[in-house]
Amino acid sequence: MLHWSIYLFIPFALFLVAGVLLLGLFNFASGGSPQRSQTLMRLRVLFQFLALVLVMITIYAMRH
């Protein structure tokens, strides 16, 4: 069983995803740099992947 503190990483990861998404939206709305938009999109995809991995590890650990 995982230590209870590992469960705190999931909300943190979701917060990172939401934060980068909002930064990207603000950058787009203000007519910001396309390079910055691309970087933020890549970061969002990376954080989404990490959040998904954390959720899957948690589900797996709770079953065993």
Side-chain angles (χ1 to χ4, degrees):
M1 182 111 190
L2 292 175
H3 191 267
W4 66 268
S5 63
I6 194 74
Y7 302 120
L8 298 176
F9 287 118
I10 294 173
F12 180 70
L14 295 177
F15 177 76
L16 283 176
V17 171
V20 171
L21 179 63
L22 287 175
L23 283 174
L25 286 173
F26 288 136
N27 186 56
F28 177 74
S30 66
S33 164
Q35 249 72 13
R36 183 171 169 91
S37 291
Q38 187 71 356
T39 302
L40 290 170
M41 186 184 307
R42 288 179 181 155
L43 273 176
R44 181 184 54 83
V45 170
L46 174 67
F47 290 152
Q48 281 178 321
F49 174 74
L50 294 176
L52 182 62
V53 168
L54 283 172
V55 169
M56 296 304 293
I57 288 171
T58 303
I59 290 171
Y60 179 77
M62 290 174 68
R63 293 185 63 175
H64 290 83

